[in-house]
Amino acid sequence: MTALAAASAVTPPHPTTRRPRMRRPAHEPEPVGATPPGTDPAVTAVVVPAPRAPAVAVADTGPPDPGGPSDDDVRRRATATVRAMVEVLAGRRPPAHLAGVARPEVVRYLTASRTTGRDGPVAPARVHVTRPTRQAAEIVAVCRFGERFRALTVRLDRDPPGSAWCVTAVRLV
């Protein structure tokens, strides 16, 4: 082995290169029974977290009302509403057409988010509907604006129960 090869074998890597450090994510809890540094293990008590409440209200879940809309009716309503919103966003329909089915803040959001000057087809490509409660529907739609695809999330609510569906929230991603 030459002197040059021996010298390069023991030299540390370049000082500007840093080894990646693995850090514990902030959301992970400490292991059960672990004691924080600087505390006496005999004094430290183990705390067990309380069980979390369910994300959906139990009283409001279950099968739809016999007299209420079926899932197919809700899907048709959601698809028609999303189609109208996409046409408003593309500038092919006036925002006033949504005044009867959407809250004023939703109409303002869609008016401010308008994308004009795009050629080509404008339509929802896919519409996914979930019903977290009997009086609500959440919609995620993949929409085509010319050559570009964007996601549209919509919340439909019936308040009071049995009334017409109303768009209460919308976001364009």
Side-chain angles (χ1 to χ4, degrees):
M1 183 187 268
T2 66
L4 181 60
S8 64
V10 292
T11 54
H14 193 271
T16 59
T17 59
R18 292 178 40 197
R19 293 181 53 198
R21 290 184 4 192
M22 298 297 291
R23 294 183 188 166
R24 177 177 297 196
H27 65 277
E28 277 190 30
E30 292 294 325
V32 176
T35 57
T39 59
D40 185 13
V43 178
T44 305
V46 176
V47 178
V48 178
R52 293 185 177 195
V56 177
V58 177
D60 209 23
T61 60
D65 293 333
S70 68
D71 288 340
D72 290 335
D73 292 338
V74 173
R75 186 173 307 283
R76 278 192 293 275
R77 169 67 65 160
T79 303
T81 303
V82 167
R83 184 177 309 277
M85 290 180 163
V86 168
E87 291 173 359
V88 167
L89 286 168
R92 298 183 181 181
R93 180 188 287 245
H97 283 189
L98 296 176
V101 295
R103 288 188 176 167
E105 59 268 18
V106 170
V107 176
R108 282 194 304 270
Y109 178 83
L110 292 173
T111 304
S113 300
R114 290 179 96 164
T115 57
T116 57
R118 297 196 191 270
D119 294 329
V122 176
R126 291 187 202 108
V127 178
H128 302 277
V129 180
T130 59
R131 294 189 61 188
T133 66
R134 286 176 274 185
Q135 304 302 324
E138 293 178 348
I139 306 157
V140 177
V142 178
C143 304
R144 183 175 184 176
F145 294 93
E147 295 298 317
R148 187 173 181 191
F149 288 86
R150 298 183 75 181
L152 183 71
T153 59
V154 180
R155 168 90 179 196
L156 290 173
D157 285 314
R158 294 176 72 183
D159 190 31
S163 63
W165 291 98
C166 179
V167 179
T168 56
V170 65
R171 284 296 173 263
L172 180 67
V173 183

